[in-house]
Amino acid sequence: MTAHATSPTPASVAARVGAIPHLSMDDLWALWDDHFEERPHHHHRVWLESRLAYRMQERAFGGLKPSLRKKLEDVGETGILPKQLRGDSQRLLPGSVLTRIYDDIEHRVLVRGSNDFEYQGQRFKSLSAVAKRITGSHWSGPVFFGLKAPASKKGAV
């Protein structure tokens, strides 16, 4: 009877990825060498772990389609989302942090959930309420935090 190579199961890949943070640096570098041709010039452990986790999953389950990779690279280079995704960008995920410099002060807002934002330890039901707290006047929260263009600029070409 011959042994056949089996595809890794999601559970086995998850277990290997989950073990990465517990590896010593020597073991982490050995794993890196198994998955990459060369080492990076820096030694930022969290970055190394994330790249290894991605590579392990990519090898087990396949990578991105070339067309999707190209779209993501374009977004990364230009910062412009395709039209069909622009509406989705308005949906903020819990844990997201919005940053805005206003009057030479950096203001950070934590998105806790739908209609739930935290600014300086206080909870707000809208970004507009946070923007009003920061500026002292009425603002559209999404406009203030750069999530959407001001109404006056929407029609401009």
Side-chain angles (χ1 to χ4, degrees):
M1 181 176 199
T2 60
H4 296 285
T6 59
S7 298
T9 65
S12 68
V13 174
R16 287 185 294 171
V17 168
I20 293 172
H22 306 288
L23 296 175
S24 68
M25 280 306 289
D26 288 340
D27 290 339
L28 189 68
W29 281 121
L31 188 60
W32 182 274
D33 293 339
D34 289 344
H35 286 84
F36 294 95
E37 295 291 321
E38 59 186 58
R39 292 183 177 188
H41 296 292
H42 61 80
H43 298 92
H44 189 270
R45 183 178 177 108
V46 174
W47 186 87
L48 296 171
E49 291 173 359
S50 69
R51 291 297 302 134
L52 274 166
Y54 181 86
R55 178 58 61 96
M56 291 167 73
Q57 293 172 86
E58 180 181 49
R59 284 188 173 171
F61 307 119
L64 297 174
K65 293 179 183 176
S67 60
L68 179 56
R69 180 176 294 280
K70 173 73 172 120
K71 286 179 185 177
L72 291 172
E73 287 171 354
D74 290 346
V75 169
E77 289 174 12
T78 66
I80 299 171
L81 289 174
K83 285 186 180 182
Q84 68 270 25
L85 295 178
R86 289 183 192 153
D88 292 342
S89 70
Q90 301 304 313
R91 290 187 220 122
L92 299 170
L93 297 175
S96 298
V97 177
L98 304 174
T99 304
R100 165 75 194 262
I101 295 176
Y102 182 81
D103 281 345
D104 294 327
I105 298 171
E106 182 181 68
H107 300 274
R108 298 171 62 86
V109 176
L110 172 65
V111 178
R112 299 181 62 87
S114 179
N115 300 318
D116 188 6
F117 304 92
E118 184 176 323
Y119 172 69
Q120 292 185 337
Q122 286 190 283
R123 305 279 283 272
F124 295 84
K125 292 184 180 181
S126 71
L127 281 176
S128 296
V130 176
K132 184 173 185 175
R133 174 68 179 272
I134 292 169
T135 65
S137 61
H138 177 73
W139 270 82
S140 160
V143 170
F144 181 79
F145 286 100
L147 299 173
K148 83 181 204 186
S152 61
K153 291 186 179 180
K154 282 185 181 175
V157 177

